[in-house]
Amino acid sequence: EVQLVESGGGLVQPGGSLRLSCAASGFTFSSYAMNWVRQAPGKGLEWVSAISGSGDSTYYADSVKGRFTISRDNSKNTLYLQMNSLRAEDTAVYYCAKDRVAGIGDAFDIWGLGTMVTVSS
Amino acid sequence: DIQMTQSPSTLSASVGDRVTITCRASQSISNWLAWYQQKPGKAPKLLIYKASSLESGVPSRFSGSGSGTEFTLTISSLQPDDFASYYCQQYNTYPWTFGQGTKVEIK
């Protein structure tokens, strides 16, 4: 079964850091681009970042560029999101999501259950 | 960045109704558009990709159409399980962007 499981969320103070992880199973992880998408409480979906299957190419939303870093360890089938200089507006459920087809740049066919990040003093 | 605008924001409908949601892109995205369904407290679910291709396992009452800047998601006969929020997303140009969502409520 294809599955994504996020972890690492929690409560952090403004200006703090957090690293999210997404463990993948049931597919050839290294063949697929992966994404992070977030959803603030009561709000819509916001794409955050993407990374190619090899990890050579990364992309970011303007709202997180320079503060967040996406990475992956294909030997561990795990996706990461390092979040620094966190702000209250980063409070959200963070989902990892898999591209539908191998390569890069497609719709997201598999989503994790999400992990909640709360930035508050 | 490409802006995606959905309408309406909220839609009240009854079981059996035909429902149409519109998504407009601020510039041409060819057919690189997806539609997702999301229920409260759950992760989004892919319904339609490449504007009109039905994802495996999705009921055939869902359909998508359009290209360029204008797209629609149609539910031919609304079922109780379809009351949810729906989002369009462009994946033509980074940064990928979502519409603001359409909530389909029971009338």
Side-chain angles (χ1 to χ4, degrees):
Chain A
E1 180 193 5
V2 178
Q3 194 173 13
L4 299 172
V5 179
E6 302 94 337
S7 60
L11 175 64
V12 61
Q13 292 189 339
S17 297
L18 212 56
R19 188 177 84 155
L20 306 183
S21 299
C22 172
S25 59
F27 64 101
T28 306
F29 182 67
S30 60
S31 295
Y32 292 85
M34 296 293 295
N35 304 266
W36 288 99
V37 176
R38 68 184 181 183
Q39 186 169 37
K43 302 297 184 183
L45 301 171
E46 180 188 15
W47 174 83
V48 172
S49 184
I51 187 168
S52 63
S54 64
D56 289 346
S57 298
T58 58
Y59 306 86
Y60 297 93
D62 289 345
S63 58
V64 306
K65 201 174 294 183
R67 300 188 299 123
F68 290 11
T69 302
I70 191 172
S71 63
R72 63 193 297 160
D73 185 336
N74 287 341
S75 69
K76 295 182 178 179
N77 288 350
T78 303
L79 175 72
Y80 302 100
L81 186 68
Q82 177 67 43
M83 304 186 295
N84 298 332
S85 303
L86 283 161
R87 306 166 180 167
E89 53 265 36
D90 296 318
T91 294
V93 174
Y94 284 74
Y95 296 101
C96 65
K98 167 189 166 291
D99 268 19
R100 191 182 62 85
V101 296
I104 192 164
D106 208 274
F108 310 149
D109 65 339
I110 304 295
W111 296 64
L113 297 180
T115 188
M116 183 70 203
V117 173
T118 303
V119 184
S120 175
S121 55
Chain B
D1 298 0
I2 297 175
Q3 308 302 317
M4 306 300 292
T5 304
Q6 282 181 239
S7 60
S9 296
T10 306
L11 188 159
S12 296
S14 301
V15 172
D17 283 354
R18 181 182 182 88
V19 166
T20 298
I21 299 169
T22 298
C23 180
R24 290 186 174 86
S26 60
Q27 64 189 75
S28 178
I29 58 170
S30 184
N31 63 349
W32 301 114
L33 184 103
W35 289 97
Y36 301 89
Q37 177 193 66
Q38 187 182 33
K39 296 180 180 179
K42 301 293 186 182
K45 173 187 175 183
L46 178 64
L47 299 175
I48 302 285
Y49 62 92
K50 223 184 284 186
S52 60
S53 296
L54 192 68
E55 174 69 349
S56 176
V58 174
S60 58
R61 62 181 180 273
F62 291 93
S63 64
S65 65
S67 66
T69 61
E70 296 260 343
F71 303 87
T72 59
L73 172 70
T74 299
I75 309 172
S76 61
S77 178
L78 198 65
Q79 299 301 301
D81 191 48
D82 301 337
F83 291 96
S85 292
Y86 294 84
Y87 295 90
C88 63
Q89 178 223 347
Q90 68 83 16
Y91 52 101
N92 180 75
T93 305
Y94 282 110
W96 297 162
T97 44
F98 288 90
Q100 80 278 16
T102 295
K103 186 175 182 179
V104 177
E105 298 180 329
I106 300 173
K107 192 172 185 178

